[in-house]
Amino acid sequence: MSLLDIRGIDVFYGDVQVVYDLSLTVNEGEVVSIIGGNGAGKSTLLRTISGLLKPAGGEILFDGQPMHTRLPEEIVEAGLIHVPEGRRLFSLMSVADNLIVGGHNKRAYPHVPQNLAKVYEMFPRLQERAAQLAMTLSGGEQQMVAIGRGLMAMPKLLMLDEPSLGLAPLLIQEIFRTVRMIADLGTTVLLVEQDVRHSLSLSDRGYVLEHGRVAMEGDAKELMDNPHIKTAYLGI
Amino acid sequence: MDLIFLLQDVINGILMGSIYGLVALGLTLVFGVLKIINFAHGSFLMVGMYVAYWIVAYTGLHPYLALFLVAPIMYFFGYQMQQWLIRPIFVAERDVREPITVIIVTTGVWYVLDNLALLLFGPDYRALSPNPLKGEMIEIGEILISTPKLFGFIITVLTAAGLYWFLLKTRMGRAIRATSLDRDAASLMGISQWKIFNVAFGIGTAIAGIAAVVLVPVYNVYPTVGVPFDVKSFVIVVLGGLGSIPGALLGGVIIGLIESIGPNFMTSTWTEAIVYGLFLLVLFFKPSGLFGQKYDW
């Protein structure tokens, strides 16, 4: 049984349909990439999985439990954690408080001190800047806080929405290395990216979203060699 | 004029101003978290004053001991008010961050509460009895300080410090700050927005209850007693910066000082003109207020 099983969901913004009959699975221990251009519905899909949007049809199962009927905070409680696009840090709170809030849910809160130590071990720079307001950090550091904040929630499945957005090439590599490390430590990762080359190279499988539909899916290596992906996304 | 009188007025202004600040503190907290303006805040103060008045009248408790009953009662009252009256508007206008309809609803609550008080208790001005603090003064040299106002000042400082500690150091406090900065991101942290709204509204109302207990020994209770405080609170909150705790206290003290020192130099009715003039100047030149955040969330 898959850890995350999405069956034929439709999502609307008002009257406009953004996601059409979309199905997708993520197995335990996998890294799965969702790639696609602007407006393909990637972020909408993640917002739907985490309960910020409700699908008009279809169902979302996590660990065999239905998620599409639950509130965002209940979905977090189940271990499905979403690191949103654009980082969305609590700008006027300190780095440490941002991380502690990440562990707000009942399951994770008793483990906040240990998890905080783990996050600082992973990102030593955050420990140096623990007392600083989040808005004073550089883009790369902010992304580290965003990922760290997601880890504080003790995810079973971590969904990352464009972690490389707006970062310098060197930092992008660092962020992807971190994502790979998180996966190697045993967390299942669902990665949404526009940086197709990087995200596919660290993933097990991938889905290509176009106009709110799954246009292609398969093994990450095979997708990289696919002529359509090469011309449309890799520019080769 | 005599310097000693001026000093007396300054002290009085600071003490009374801090109590204004305490009323405004509840309003600024509710605004900071829910981004809505609660026009019924003055009426909550009135309700708190009646609750304190009746508790003291029936049990003979010392008014400051009544605080431990009034604050929880008002917390519960505010919590339910948000749950049953404000929340449905947020649900109905879920695409709007600060539904304007809330202003109309809270104004309605203000009228209903004030008139309900009129219906139940009549228009009489009631003075607290028994009132162990009545006319109590502390003498320092030639300066007389009203004891209940001094206690009011101390309670204000303690309340503000306690609120600060709560917001900075507790799980709930951090969740409240996170929700006030970014609701959706807070949801993704597993924070229940509605719970936070209820709690924040409850705390704001409980602070109005604390202010009510502070006021009841020095102020008569009557159905529209909240109105002047309501209006002052808005001026204070705008002056100090919407959502700012130090801003609310400092804004309160500024208004208190204008009201107590002003009449030495002009007819006392002019002090209102100065207060509102200042209000307009702040809106023109520093709309975010003295301590307001320039950054919206």
Side-chain angles (χ1 to χ4, degrees):
Chain A
M1 189 185 64
S2 311
L3 183 61
L4 178 68
D5 190 356
I6 298 175
R7 295 175 182 170
I9 56 165
D10 295 303
V11 186
F12 292 79
Y13 278 120
D15 294 332
V16 185
Q17 186 160 5
V18 183
V19 170
Y20 297 84
D21 189 28
L22 187 145
S23 297
L24 175 156
T25 59
V26 180
N27 298 313
E28 195 150 5
E30 269 188 323
V31 176
V32 174
S33 275
I34 299 176
I35 57 179
N38 278 332
K42 307 186 298 294
S43 296
T44 306
L45 173 63
L46 288 202
R47 288 172 63 81
T48 310
I49 298 172
S50 56
L52 293 176
L53 294 171
K54 292 286 163 222
E59 50 185 6
I60 300 169
L61 301 175
F62 181 67
D63 246 353
Q65 301 292 317
M67 291 291 134
H68 50 281
T69 51
R70 297 195 190 180
L71 296 169
E73 56 267 25
E74 295 166 340
I75 294 170
V76 170
E77 200 76 51
L80 192 48
I81 309 300
H82 178 183
V83 175
E85 186 181 1
R87 308 184 261 278
R88 301 287 286 266
L89 299 185
F90 303 113
S91 54
L92 298 171
M93 291 169 72
S94 69
V95 169
D97 277 352
N98 265 279
L99 294 173
I100 295 170
V101 166
H104 178 89
N105 72 73
K106 279 195 213 74
R107 197 168 38 80
Y109 195 74
H111 307 285
V112 160
Q114 299 95 295
N115 290 334
L116 199 56
K118 277 187 210 163
V119 169
Y120 285 152
E121 198 182 325
M122 192 178 271
F123 306 109
R125 207 150 2 138
L126 297 188
Q127 186 157 26
E128 293 164 26
R129 305 195 181 271
Q132 256 175 265
L133 292 188
M135 59 180 280
T136 63
L137 300 187
S138 71
E141 290 164 342
Q142 289 196 9
Q143 189 59 56
M144 291 175 196
V145 177
I147 294 175
R149 198 174 61 169
L151 292 174
M152 291 294 293
M154 302 181 78
K156 286 181 193 157
L157 173 63
L158 187 65
M159 302 191 288
L160 299 167
D161 196 349
E162 303 230 16
S164 74
L165 190 74
L167 299 184
L170 220 60
L171 280 170
I172 293 182
Q173 287 190 5
E174 197 182 327
I175 292 293
F176 280 116
R177 261 201 305 277
T178 310
V179 173
R180 188 63 247 179
M181 185 160 76
I182 291 166
D184 292 340
L185 290 172
T187 306
T188 310
V189 175
L190 180 60
L191 181 61
V192 162
E193 259 302 336
Q194 295 211 37
D195 189 331
V196 174
R197 193 191 314 268
H198 274 111
S199 60
L200 281 182
S201 65
L202 68 81
S203 301
D204 300 303
R205 288 191 303 120
Y207 288 84
V208 181
L209 243 59
E210 278 170 12
H211 310 297
R213 294 175 177 86
V214 175
M216 242 182 281
E217 60 174 288
D219 188 76
K221 302 232 164 22
E222 282 167 26
L223 282 180
M224 281 247 258
D225 295 331
N226 183 292
H228 171 71
I229 303 240
K230 274 188 170 164
T231 49
Y233 295 101
L234 296 171
I236 306 172
Chain B
M1 58 171 275
D2 213 337
L3 206 61
I4 203 82
F5 286 130
L6 189 65
L7 189 61
Q8 173 92 52
D9 286 339
V10 167
I11 290 173
N12 248 327
I14 291 174
L15 296 185
M16 200 56 210
S18 72
I19 300 174
Y20 293 154
L22 182 58
V23 180
L25 194 60
L27 191 68
T28 209
L29 176 74
V30 167
F31 180 84
V33 179
L34 284 83
K35 316 289 170 197
I36 56 157
I37 292 188
N38 175 19
F39 272 108
H41 194 67
S43 299
F44 291 174
L45 179 75
M46 177 273 296
V47 171
M49 286 174 82
Y50 271 106
V51 171
Y53 173 87
W54 288 115
I55 286 176
V56 171
Y58 273 108
T59 63
L61 272 177
H62 189 284
Y64 291 150
L65 282 178
L67 184 68
F68 296 99
L69 285 171
V70 176
I73 291 172
M74 293 307 289
Y75 174 82
F76 181 77
F77 181 67
Y79 190 101
Q80 299 302 335
M81 203 58 116
Q82 145 65 24
Q83 170 79 10
W84 299 107
L85 281 175
I86 316 286
R87 191 180 79 142
I89 304 163
F90 274 104
V91 173
E93 300 199 30
R94 63 171 67 78
D95 299 332
V96 188
R97 191 182 79 175
E98 39 219 47
I100 217 83
T101 338
V102 172
I103 291 180
I104 296 163
V105 170
T106 55
T107 309
V109 171
W110 159 16
Y111 276 88
V112 168
L113 287 177
D114 283 16
N115 285 292
L116 212 57
L118 186 64
L119 185 73
L120 291 173
F121 308 122
D124 317 344
Y125 281 49
R126 294 162 191 269
L128 188 71
S129 88
N131 185 358
L133 295 154
K134 191 173 182 185
E136 285 285 313
M137 292 278 183
I138 296 172
E139 264 180 79
I140 302 171
E142 283 182 63
I143 298 170
L144 287 171
I145 298 172
S146 148
T147 312
K149 283 184 189 170
L150 181 65
F151 275 121
F153 175 79
I154 294 168
I155 291 173
T156 300
V157 171
L158 290 178
T159 305
L163 184 64
Y164 238 104
W165 175 83
F166 171 76
L167 289 175
L168 286 179
K169 296 289 175 201
T170 65
R171 176 172 184 248
M172 181 58 85
R174 287 194 187 91
I176 289 175
R177 280 191 292 149
T179 306
S180 80
L181 288 167
D182 189 333
R183 280 173 204 167
D184 275 358
S187 281
L188 295 180
M189 305 299 119
I191 296 167
S192 160
Q193 183 190 324
W194 301 126
K195 174 96 184 288
I196 295 298
F197 280 11
N198 288 351
V199 169
F201 209 86
I203 294 173
T205 312
I207 291 173
I210 296 172
V213 171
V214 164
L215 277 170
V216 112
V218 288
Y219 223 86
N220 285 320
V221 187
Y222 52 95
T224 53
V225 65
V227 177
F229 287 97
D230 206 9
V231 176
K232 258 175 215 146
S233 298
F234 286 113
V235 177
I236 290 167
V237 164
V238 170
L239 200 64
L242 284 160
S244 159
I245 295 173
L249 298 185
L250 190 74
V253 169
I254 290 173
I255 304 286
L257 283 173
I258 292 174
E259 284 189 354
S260 74
I261 299 175
N264 290 316
F265 305 99
M266 64 198 93
T267 334
S268 65
T269 41
W270 265 102
T271 60
E272 296 240 331
I274 294 182
V275 168
Y276 291 105
L278 191 64
F279 178 68
L280 284 179
L281 285 178
V282 167
L283 283 181
F284 274 130
F285 294 109
K286 200 167 184 319
S288 56
L290 298 173
F291 284 83
Q293 287 298 343
K294 264 177 272 174
Y295 312 94
D296 202 12
W297 50 283

